[in-house]
Amino acid sequence: MGISREQAAENREAIIEAAERLFREHGVDAVGLTALMKAAGFTQGGFYNHFKSKDALVAAVMARAVQASKGALAGGDVAREAAMSPEARAEQYLSVTHRDDVACGCPMAGFAGDAPRLGEEAQACYAKGLADAIAAMTAAGVGQGLSPAQATQAAMARFAQMVGTLVLSRAVVNVDPALSEALLAAGRQALNGQRADA
Amino acid sequence: MGISREQAAENREAIIEAAERLFREHGVDAVGLTALMKAAGFTQGGFYNHFKSKDALVAAVMARAVQASKGALAGGDVAREAAMSPEARAEQYLSVTHRDDVACGCPMAGFAGDAPRLGEEAQACYAKGLADAIAAMTAAGVGQGLSPAQATQAAMARFAQMVGTLVLSRAVVNVDPALSEALLAAGRQALNGQRADA
DNA sequence: TGTACATCAGTGAACGCGCGTTCACTGATGTAC
DNA sequence: TGTACATCAGTGAACGCGCGTTCACTGATGTAC
């Protein structure tokens, strides 16, 4: 068709964006390239002008998702996120809104189930994103006076609590919405409220 | 071939067992019926003598996995599990052994990522299994003097901490084993050791 | 207890379909003179 | 600045392959008489 280089770069981004949404909604394996290219507004054959394989696209999707979520755990406005207290962030992370927004939410939670079976490059992006998220929470803990070791341990446990709660609440929301919301509430209380395990 | 009814029932179980292992290792979508039946020791055509569809098999697998894990969070010996303290159970759950034993470990963690996309019957089995696991932990908390509401909240948060830590540690183990083990250690400390978030 | 027959768990080929990938072709973009 | 041509992002048909599922067939099991 003849397309400018600028336009081609935009089209490549459009493919990655469509792929991220579809991968998160249906799983990487369940999305075919024909459907994917159609969702991005193109025909199947053009895919290989932008990526050398589906695996390469998965890696590009993961790199983008992880980069976009830096400092924005729930996929929202990055600047506003950065100004949030840890408590407010947990409230947002474990909200019904975030639970229902699989397509745009935290990639560490959205791809957690798929990650062990992705290609090596995509796995590396995922691990980098996880390390970054933990590092950001660790820095906040150090800023509040914890030792680096304490802050790291607390950040890891806190992030795992957040991801675990979100993943479980998403796993049961279709068949037991009450349990799904109770899990979110219990997670919020554990992260921000009084500990009930004393 | 002509097979006794007893033998046929055993063969059906063999198919479910092979399916559970393969589904957990490679994901439900990635396992074809031909490979599955071969792994169970049969040819493809016989599948529909036992199940009316792949979805029906998935539901049977989930029902079996959830039932087998009752009281045995890490897939081990049920009787020994029941005698364990909550602390010992967390140590086992967040062990390297359990992390590496995807095929036989806790089904709530093993299927957490796939659950949102499974058929309705399989999702119902999963939710039932999760509710049972939380109920068992709640009973333990009540036995230690917590109010039912407190115990339920604590059990949900604790289980989400365990699953989240395990899922994240599995997601990065291939590319960052040090991070994977640090997550397990942080989870164990958060569940059993001194809280570091004070 | 023996014989005749229906049942049904197996086999393995075949169905239509969508997968990831390749290919020949098109035509505007971008470059060289 | 205009013309000639190479580049390359598109199109859409086609490749071999494995998917879930169906089918005709086999033959020991289990039942009826």
Side-chain angles (χ1 to χ4, degrees):
Chain A
M1 281 293 183
I3 243 78
S4 77
R5 290 176 186 177
E6 185 184 2
Q7 183 63 52
E10 283 175 28
N11 292 349
R12 186 189 145 101
E13 283 304 300
I15 294 170
I16 296 177
E17 280 173 39
E20 181 175 352
R21 181 170 45 82
L22 292 170
F23 286 170
R24 292 166 89 137
E25 282 172 6
H26 305 108
V28 172
D29 272 6
V31 179
L33 295 185
T34 303
L36 167 65
M37 289 299 282
K38 190 173 181 183
F42 303 100
T43 51
Q44 52 195 10
F47 177 82
Y48 292 90
N49 293 326
H50 294 289
F51 306 97
K52 77 174 207 300
S53 66
K54 187 181 182 184
D55 247 30
L57 168 66
V58 173
V61 164
M62 190 63 75
R64 197 191 120 96
V66 158
Q67 186 61 34
S69 78
K70 262 198 171 180
L73 290 178
D77 181 316
V78 172
R80 197 201 304 168
E81 280 278 346
M84 269 188 170
S85 71
E87 287 73 22
R89 197 170 289 193
E91 291 290 326
Q92 187 198 338
Y93 197 97
L94 297 184
S95 66
V96 169
T97 304
H98 188 199
R99 179 198 63 191
D100 295 341
D101 190 16
V102 190
C104 296
C106 171
M108 308 327 295
F111 287 112
D114 288 314
R117 300 159 196 147
L118 298 180
E120 194 177 336
E121 194 180 341
Q123 286 197 11
C125 289
Y126 183 91
K128 178 68 163 45
L130 179 57
D132 286 348
I134 291 167
M137 290 176 69
T138 299
V142 170
Q144 291 177 339
L146 278 91
S147 75
Q150 278 179 319
T152 300
Q153 184 271 335
M156 286 181 175
R158 194 173 172 86
F159 196 71
Q161 175 82 71
M162 290 164 65
V163 170
T165 302
L166 189 60
V167 164
L168 288 177
S169 75
R170 282 176 175 164
V172 300
V173 66
N174 288 337
V175 294
D176 193 343
L179 175 58
S180 177
E181 300 203 16
L183 284 160
L184 292 177
R188 291 193 300 264
Q189 192 173 341
L191 288 165
N192 292 341
Q194 285 225 295
R195 304 284 177 174
D197 54 348
Chain B
M1 283 291 184
I3 244 74
S4 76
R5 289 174 187 180
E6 186 184 1
Q7 183 62 53
E10 284 175 27
N11 292 349
R12 186 189 144 100
E13 284 304 301
I15 294 169
I16 297 176
E17 281 174 39
E20 182 176 350
R21 181 169 45 82
L22 292 171
F23 286 170
R24 292 165 88 137
E25 283 172 4
H26 305 108
V28 172
D29 272 6
V31 179
L33 295 186
T34 303
L36 167 65
M37 289 299 281
K38 189 173 181 184
F42 305 99
T43 51
Q44 53 195 13
F47 177 83
Y48 293 89
N49 293 325
H50 295 288
F51 306 97
K52 77 173 209 299
S53 66
K54 187 181 181 184
D55 247 30
L57 168 67
V58 173
V61 164
M62 189 64 73
R64 196 189 121 96
V66 158
Q67 187 62 33
S69 78
K70 263 198 170 179
L73 289 179
D77 180 316
V78 173
R80 198 200 303 170
E81 280 278 346
M84 270 188 171
S85 70
E87 287 74 21
R89 197 171 290 193
E91 291 289 326
Q92 186 199 337
Y93 197 97
L94 297 185
S95 66
V96 169
T97 304
H98 189 200
R99 179 198 63 190
D100 295 341
D101 190 17
V102 189
C104 296
C106 170
M108 308 327 293
F111 287 112
D114 288 313
R117 300 159 195 147
L118 298 180
E120 194 177 336
E121 195 180 340
Q123 286 198 10
C125 290
Y126 183 91
K128 179 69 163 45
L130 179 56
D132 286 348
I134 291 168
M137 290 178 68
T138 300
V142 170
Q144 292 178 336
L146 288 150
S147 74
Q150 278 178 318
T152 299
Q153 185 270 333
M156 286 181 175
R158 194 173 172 85
F159 196 71
Q161 176 82 70
M162 290 163 65
V163 171
T165 302
L166 189 61
V167 164
L168 288 178
S169 74
R170 283 175 175 166
V172 301
V173 67
N174 288 337
V175 294
D176 194 343
L179 176 58
S180 176
E181 299 201 18
L183 285 160
L184 293 177
R188 291 194 300 264
Q189 191 173 341
L191 288 164
N192 292 342
Q194 284 224 295
R195 302 286 176 171
D197 54 348

